[in-house]
């Protein structure tokens, strides 16, 4: 998660702060490139199963696989990927341009006698976007495995699950100016920089900004400006075409004895940080500009039983009604499940003496606000490009199924909403990833259930009646919308006006959902 807080913490880091010197960064990048320190060569070196084990916090399988290997890739793998001390001589041989003194000057290691002791991790991180497949080197603080203990409060996280999720949902659009608010190690800024003229990356943590700047230099990215400060303070009076943020949205009790981590805890009560972001962001968007973020939100009190989605309704209340809002809840946890998740994330398990006091603090905190559940998901806010463009999009939904190419699906959904302002087009096409499934009871010729299934994007499954199924099946460009509806009116022997009144809103929804498209 990104570091973004409304107040500073007093904890002092036990690790060094990187020094993103241009010359040293360039030399390190050249050495890493010569060593081919990238994902696939490393997986070939120590094995796919061993590489997967590292993602689960186990490095012993890798150490066994490369035992006795003093080659360049194995040495750098142990030093930078695993965060283990290495003898000076093989490290010097692996970094001929930078040298061990240069690595220390960058703040990524220290020299202790005959050993080079890493003070940071540096791992290859692959990515896929509209331009294709690529890979970066990403430096971050030593993790729990390398530290063999708890993380310091000012820990700068590398590329984790939340980072990858946000990267997948950012719309692939070309923009002039973008903002990565709470940049952390800088991964989102790097991604956005590929499609933006200029990017501003902010963080309240100077250490995080140092990592982010180092990562930009290592990967030859020069269109990012780094600024220190909290929330929107560093960009006061400015506007952006795209704002992205993976804020520290974890809901943590604000009581004595509960650890507070910069990378995940925002310093406010409940979900107030997400609310603060959503209330402030619109004034920093250009006309047509979009803000995208991840977040948690609380469902509170008995209203949840009445509405079934009070958490989503609370999010909607934070965004002015004249703005487009699309919220997708991916999962929901009970207060107990949520507390256990994040207590474990901090390194405390039920076997530890400190677990019960932490659990009590979390449950007491939720009970004080009447919290019944905590949702997690994606939020998109868009400022209208101009006035008088029709009713804004206000879409609040729950999606639990696996999804793919979410950024592209969001972009297509917004484009469909904009096009529908002028009404349905004369011709529609069935999206190429749509299939139909019919369920029949034994002995019956007529289906009891007809489903339209979306292969990509949000992978929606929509139950339809024979008329809608027939309409979608005929959308191949040969007939206009009204020609298809007229033919169906004759087939089902119903008045055209009545059939159109029934079909038209459902056709519009299929367009918004991406099952019907404007162009083939």
């Amino acid at each position: 998660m990104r570091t973004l807080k409304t107040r500073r913490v007093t904890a002092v880091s036990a690790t060094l702060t990187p020094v993103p010197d241009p010359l040293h960064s360039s030399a390190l990048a050249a050495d890493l490139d010569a060593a081919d320190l990238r994902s696939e060569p490393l997986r070939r070196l120590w094995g796919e199963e061993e590489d997967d084990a590292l993602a689960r916090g186990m490095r012993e399988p890798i150490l066994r696989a490369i035992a006795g290997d003093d080659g360049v890739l194995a040495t750098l793998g142990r030093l930078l990927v695993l965060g283990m001390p290495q003898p000076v001589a093989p490290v010097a041989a692996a970094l001929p341009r930078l040298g061990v003194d240069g690595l220390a000057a960058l703040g990524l290691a220290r020299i202790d006698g005959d050993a080079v002791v890493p003070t940071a991790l540096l791992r290859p991180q692959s990515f896929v976007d509209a331009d294709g497949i690529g890979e970066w080197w990403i430096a971050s603080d030593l993790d729990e495995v390398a530290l063999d203990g708890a993380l310091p409060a000012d820990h700068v996280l590398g590329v984790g699950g939340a980072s990858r999720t946000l990267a997948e949902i950012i719309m692939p659009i070309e923009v002039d100016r973008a903002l990565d608010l709470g940049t952390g190690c800088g991964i989102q800024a790097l991604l956005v920089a590929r499609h933006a003229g200029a990017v501003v990356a902010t963080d309240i943590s100077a250490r995080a900004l140092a990592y982010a700047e180092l990562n930009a230099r290592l990967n030859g990215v020069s269109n990012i400006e780094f600024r220190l400060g909290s929330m929107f303070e560093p960009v006061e009076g400015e506007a952006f075409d795209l704002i992205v943020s993976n804020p520290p949205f974890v809901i943590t009790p604000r009581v004595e004895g509960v650890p507070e981590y910069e990378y995940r805890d925002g310093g406010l009560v409940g979900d107030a940080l997400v609310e603060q972001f959503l209330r402030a962001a619109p004034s920093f968007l250009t006309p047509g500009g979009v803000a995208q973020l991840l977040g948690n939100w609380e469902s509170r009190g008995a209203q949840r039983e009445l509405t079934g989605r009070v958490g989503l309704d609370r999010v909607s209340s934070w965004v002015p009604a004249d703005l487009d809002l699309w919220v997708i809840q991916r999962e929901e946890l009970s207060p107990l499940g949520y507390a256990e998740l994040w207590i474990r994330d901090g390194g405390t398990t039920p076997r530890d003496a400190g677990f019960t006091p932490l659990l009590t603090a979390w449950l007491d905190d939720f009970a004080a606000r009447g919290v019944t559940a905590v949702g997690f998901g994606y939020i998109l806010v868009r400022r209208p490009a101009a006035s008088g463009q029709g009713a804004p999009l206000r879409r609040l939904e729950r999606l639990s199924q696996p999804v793919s190419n979410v950024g592209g699906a969001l972009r297509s959904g917004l484009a469909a909403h904009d096009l529908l302002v002028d009404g349905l087009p004369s011709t529609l096409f069935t999206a190429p990833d749509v299939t139909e499934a019919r369920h029949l009871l034994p002995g019956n010729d007529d289906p009891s259930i007809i489903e339209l299934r979306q292969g990509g994007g949000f992978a929606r499954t929509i139950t339809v009646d024979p008329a809608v199924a027939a309409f979608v099946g005929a959308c191949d460009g040969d007939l206009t919308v009204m020609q298809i509806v007229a033919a169906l009116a004759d087939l089902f022997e119903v008045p055209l006006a009545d059939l159109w009144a029934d079909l038209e809103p459902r056709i519009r929804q299929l367009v918004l959902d991406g099952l019907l498209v404007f162009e083939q």
Side-chain angles (χ1 to χ4, degrees), residues 122-134:
L122 199 160
R123 293 173 170 172
Q125 177 64 46
S126 58
F127 64 88
V128 180
D129 66 9
D131 292 337
I133 301 173

Side-chain angles (χ1 to χ4, degrees), residues 123-170:
R123 293 173 170 172
Q125 177 64 46
S126 58
F127 64 88
V128 180
D129 66 9
D131 292 337
I133 301 173
E135 191 160 68
W136 285 309
W137 295 298
I138 301 295
S140 63
D141 276 335
L142 297 172
D143 59 14
E144 289 172 298
V145 176
L147 290 172
D148 193 25
L151 303 175
D154 64 349
H155 178 79
V156 177
L157 195 67
V159 180
S163 299
R164 286 188 285 270
T165 297
L166 181 60
E168 291 167 1
I169 73 168
I170 294 175

